[in-house]
Amino acid sequence: MRIQAPSFVDLETPTGPMRTHLFRPDGSGRYPGVILYSEIYQMTAPIARTAAVLAGHGLLVAVPDVYHEFTELGESFAYDKEGTDRGNRLKIEKEITAYDADARSVIDFFGGDEGCTGKVGTVGICLGGHLAFRAAMNEEVDAGVCFYATDIHKRSLGKGMNDNSLDRIPEIEAEMLMIWGRQDPHIPAEGRRMIYDAMTAAGVSFSWHEFNGEHAFMRDEGHRYDPELALLLNSMACQHLNRHLR
């Protein structure tokens, strides 16, 4: 379906206002809410296009600025060395509790939005894959999609680089779709195995897919982009979310 022009809302969080970009289906009725977590670059053009794809499949998509405490409202970073270095630095300056509080703010927003059914899902890419994974630990979340989620196996998200995501896996009640690149140097085979084993041991309901792709193979800018895989996996993500959020 068609979508409305993108808009935004500045949500209150314990660490200040968080610009949250909204992509709404252009149709009457109410739709499930989906938090789309960006890479370390915040709300770039590729993330906006991903959000539009999800919204066009009948989902109300909210893209929060993951580093809002440190940036101007709505600021994004370039896909270059400066932007990469800044994103990676902020990733470990932000408190892990602040990431969790941000998720809570978006979930509460969905709960009060007249265009939302109250059903909530999470999607994330790279850093965002890890944030979507943690957001799925909230009881309101019924479905999650994680594209090559970084740092889970290393326990290195947030200030102090000592997150507890692996320990909290038993809290996930959502149906999870986990997608990985086999040639991704950031999440090697042993790291993927650690996450798979922990999810299995905790009894999480999930599907697991590994593809021949490098890190960021979903991003439609840059030499690692694989359009065929991106088309397939965007379709899988939309199907997964609509199946479990309707």
Side-chain angles (χ1 to χ4, degrees):
M1 62 173 63
R2 295 176 60 177
I3 66 172
Q4 299 179 20
S7 60
F8 66 84
V9 61
D10 293 331
L11 299 180
E12 289 303 316
T13 77
T15 52
M18 177 174 64
R19 176 63 50 88
T20 302
H21 311 265
L22 300 176
F23 296 75
R24 295 179 183 271
D26 188 17
S28 59
R30 302 165 70 210
Y31 301 92
V34 171
I35 310 173
L36 172 59
Y37 285 106
S38 69
E39 313 156 291
I40 58 173
Y41 306 94
Q42 301 212 112
M43 233 291 287
T44 59
I47 295 298
R49 289 189 284 270
T50 299
V53 168
L54 295 171
H57 284 77
L59 301 163
L60 167 55
V61 182
V63 186
D65 283 355
V66 293
Y67 299 140
H68 61 90
E69 301 93 334
F70 308 100
T71 63
E72 298 295 324
L73 292 172
E75 183 179 359
S76 63
F77 309 158
Y79 290 118
D80 57 16
K81 185 180 187 304
E82 181 181 358
T84 300
D85 289 347
R86 187 180 181 196
N88 281 324
R89 183 179 71 253
L90 294 178
K91 180 174 67 172
I92 57 174
E93 286 187 17
K94 180 163 177 163
E95 297 281 356
I96 195 71
T97 54
Y99 287 119
D100 295 340
D102 290 351
R104 185 72 258 164
S105 293
V106 184
I107 292 170
D108 290 345
F109 166 76
F110 284 144
D113 188 274
E114 293 182 355
C116 185
T117 62
K119 302 284 283 187
V120 179
T122 64
V123 180
I125 303 165
C126 187
L127 159 71
H130 193 158
L131 297 180
F133 192 76
R134 286 188 70 89
M137 296 167 187
N138 289 279
E139 62 181 3
E140 294 92 343
V141 176
D142 292 311
V145 181
C146 300
F147 293 103
Y148 34 88
T150 56
D151 303 319
I152 296 175
H153 69 289
K154 296 192 297 183
R155 299 177 177 268
S156 58
L157 178 64
K159 191 171 184 178
M161 300 178 67
N162 187 31
D163 70 70
N164 59 354
S165 298
L166 284 171
D167 303 321
R168 292 186 59 195
I169 285 176
E171 298 177 39
I172 298 177
E173 298 180 1
E175 182 81 25
M176 302 298 291
L177 174 61
M178 309 295 293
I179 294 170
W180 312 92
R182 295 185 65 249
Q183 287 75 43
D184 186 341
H186 299 289
I187 313 116
E190 57 272 22
R192 299 194 301 272
R193 172 57 62 179
M194 182 185 299
I195 300 166
Y196 180 94
D197 288 346
M199 294 180 74
T200 300
V204 175
S205 184
F206 69 97
S207 58
W208 187 276
H209 305 270
E210 297 190 9
F211 295 89
N212 288 315
E214 301 177 69
H215 193 71
F217 66 81
M218 294 285 291
R219 185 200 305 152
D220 63 1
E221 290 185 15
H223 68 282
R224 288 173 286 183
Y225 177 47
D226 189 321
E228 183 180 18
L229 277 183
L231 179 63
L232 170 65
L233 299 182
N234 279 325
S235 177
M236 287 174 59
C238 291
Q239 182 182 45
H240 177 83
L241 293 166
N242 273 309
R243 178 182 179 187
H244 297 287
L245 297 179
R246 297 294 177 179

